[in-house]
Amino acid sequence: MSKHNGNSTVALVKSPKQDATEITDAEIRKMVREAVRLTGGLSDIIKDGQSVVIKPNIVVTRHVTGNINPLLMPVTNPFKESVQIPELMNGVTTDRRITKALVELVRERNPSGKVYVMECAGDGLTSENFKRMGYNHENIPGVDRFIALGEEGEYRNVDADDLVAVEVKSQQYKNLPKFLKNKYYFDKTYYSSDVIISLCCLKNHVNTAITGSIKNVGIGAKPARIYSSKGKTISASVINHAWEPLHDFIRNYYSARPVDFVLTDGLQGLQYGNACQGAPGYEEAKMNMRLLLASKDPVAVDSVHSCIIGVDPEKVKHLKDLARDGFGTIDTSKITVVGNARVDEVKKPFLLAKGILGKIFKESSRAQYKDFKGPSLSVDKI
């Protein structure tokens, strides 16, 4: 749970394939190992006998393209077959082959400990999302349990034995419902684990400009039965999702239990939010990035993530606040990017919704930058 200060390293590994769908299982495994190696490896983080949590992003298994469909998400069937995304290389969820390769690396350091894959989906039952995206012991051996966070148990029972209640200093979020007693609630296995790895996706977001390693746990690691509105499919519906409150909640929840390592699935990459909100179609939302990012500094890797997708990290409030509080580095002059690609070579403008959605969620577009042309340099005399 240590804080990150000073200079940081972010690994950036790119596949030579021209299309993300051409990347093989073997190449994914090789890319994961290279990205982790470039950060210095896992030996200083993971020891044998420890409990390790891997938190992927399996937020949703459907796309919600167009201007109206995103607004209807809370009241429509999350598993309608006509809008389901492919199991692999979809850009929306963490590709299970990356998770498999990461579990292999963790097991090499930790053969006798526990390895858990945990998620709290934002749309639909997490257990069903696991099933549809191939998250099972056959596809990902080495995992002790796949845990749908807070899917079982008594609704809104904040005193349950399987929960940990945490008081957060410097409380920024001002809208906690009374039943939460001004505390933040975690699954006990998640909170007490020795190591947490955030395994996120390279995406922008209609509510927060980016959805990276910190948002992946700062909103996606909550126990669903505590933070959902009963009878609805959107798991975080008791949390105010307006720009500033959502950033403040993410900052608070993350600060109560920071992560130790980050691996970002940028093999496909996705624009138009976390589930194609406002995209003209699903195919138009995919970005064909062919990248992996990794770091021991979550703020730094999310800052590089921001720069790659055309977002100014200084305008992503939860990143700026966590950097201020010593949880990582947002200053790009203090971030060393290592690997076989440079940020300026791979960055693309990731679009956000326009029209009615763009007007509703205008703050995210204000965090984007428009100038993708790098500075020029010439030497007149040596």
Side-chain angles (χ1 to χ4, degrees):
M1 300 186 191
S2 61
K3 293 186 178 182
H4 302 262
N5 295 286
N7 297 328
S8 296
T9 298
V10 174
L12 177 59
V13 177
K14 183 178 181 180
S15 167
K17 298 292 175 59
Q18 294 301 305
D19 192 279
T21 59
E22 298 173 356
I23 303 175
T24 65
D25 294 12
E27 186 180 355
I28 289 173
R29 183 175 184 269
K30 183 178 179 181
M31 289 176 69
V32 169
R33 286 179 171 267
E34 177 64 2
V36 173
R37 184 192 71 81
L38 287 168
T39 66
L42 300 175
S43 61
D44 60 332
I45 298 175
I46 300 174
K47 308 298 180 185
D48 191 25
Q50 291 184 323
S51 61
V52 178
V53 167
I54 296 174
K55 166 60 177 72
N57 187 325
I58 319 176
V59 60
V60 57
T61 66
R62 62 171 166 172
H63 60 81
V64 283
T65 57
N67 279 326
I68 301 301
N69 289 335
L71 302 177
L72 299 177
M73 279 185 77
V75 295
T76 54
N77 176 15
F79 302 118
K80 184 180 178 181
E81 290 303 326
S82 62
V83 294
Q84 294 300 289
I85 58 177
E87 183 178 321
L88 301 175
M89 203 63 72
N90 56 61
V92 177
T93 68
T94 306
D95 194 302
R96 61 171 167 78
R97 295 169 296 178
I98 295 178
T99 307
K100 178 184 178 181
L102 180 60
V103 170
E104 289 177 357
L105 281 172
V106 171
R107 277 301 183 199
E108 289 173 10
R109 302 298 315 167
N110 185 26
S112 67
K114 297 294 184 182
V115 177
Y116 305 110
V117 172
M118 296 186 175
E119 170 66 309
C120 174
D123 184 44
L125 287 175
T126 304
S127 55
E128 180 64 20
N129 288 4
F130 275 148
K131 179 180 177 181
R132 288 174 179 259
M133 295 297 103
Y135 273 71
N136 55 51
H137 291 100
E138 181 179 358
N139 290 328
I140 312 175
V143 176
D144 289 281
R145 290 173 61 200
F146 294 89
I147 299 175
L149 285 163
E151 196 167 282
E152 303 294 333
E154 185 180 351
Y155 178 63
R156 290 191 180 176
N157 177 15
V158 297
D159 299 317
D161 291 339
D162 62 344
L163 297 178
V164 173
V166 180
E167 293 185 10
V168 173
K169 296 180 180 179
S170 304
Q171 175 71 262
Q172 290 185 194
Y173 186 78
K174 307 299 183 184
N175 304 95
L176 287 177
K178 289 184 178 180
F179 78 89
L180 293 177
K181 303 176 182 179
N182 207 36
K183 296 178 181 178
Y184 291 78
Y185 296 85
F186 293 82
D187 174 270
K188 184 175 289 186
T189 300
Y190 176 94
Y191 185 83
S192 61
S193 64
D194 297 298
V195 178
I196 297 178
I197 299 175
S198 181
L199 184 43
C200 59
C201 297
L202 189 76
K203 300 186 283 188
N204 61 0
H205 198 279
V206 68
N207 294 86
T208 53
I210 80 156
T211 176
S213 67
I214 291 169
K215 185 178 180 296
N216 185 42
V217 298
I219 198 76
K222 316 163 318 307
R225 72 176 192 264
I226 301 300
Y227 288 93
S228 65
S229 291
K230 195 171 185 179
K232 294 194 175 183
T233 62
I234 304 299
S235 69
S237 52
V238 301
I239 304 304
N240 186 336
H241 271 54
W243 174 264
E244 187 165 348
L246 182 55
H247 281 286
D248 287 343
F249 181 87
I250 292 168
R251 176 264 175 198
N252 287 357
Y253 201 84
Y254 177 86
S255 69
R257 183 58 175 96
V259 304
D260 302 284
F261 191 80
V262 176
L263 185 61
T264 303
D265 174 2
L267 295 181
Q268 186 64 262
L270 195 84
Q271 60 182 351
Y272 291 102
N274 68 331
C276 315
Q277 286 96 330
Y282 171 55
E283 292 301 318
E284 288 86 348
K286 294 188 293 185
M287 294 299 286
N288 191 36
M289 299 300 288
R290 295 109 64 210
L291 304 174
L292 290 182
L293 288 79
S295 185
K296 294 172 183 175
D297 181 343
V299 176
V301 75
D302 282 3
S303 296
V304 173
H305 174 157
S306 298
C307 293
I308 289 174
I309 68 172
V311 171
D312 182 352
E314 293 281 353
K315 294 181 179 178
V316 180
K317 190 175 187 300
H318 68 266
L319 294 183
K320 190 172 182 179
D321 290 347
L322 287 167
R324 173 202 65 202
D325 296 338
F327 286 94
T329 303
I330 198 173
D331 184 349
T332 55
S333 70
K334 296 181 179 179
I335 301 172
T336 301
V337 178
V338 296
N340 65 349
R342 301 196 311 264
V343 172
D344 65 293
E345 295 173 331
V346 302
K347 65 181 181 179
K348 295 181 182 179
F350 278 44
L351 301 178
L352 287 166
K354 299 186 183 299
I356 185 173
L357 280 180
K359 292 179 180 178
I360 294 173
F361 302 109
K362 57 180 180 283
E363 294 295 340
S364 287
S365 62
R366 291 174 178 169
Q368 294 178 308
Y369 66 85
K370 309 299 182 184
D371 184 6
F372 272 70
K373 185 177 180 181
S376 59
L377 174 67
S378 62
V379 178
D380 294 330
K381 186 177 181 179
I382 297 179

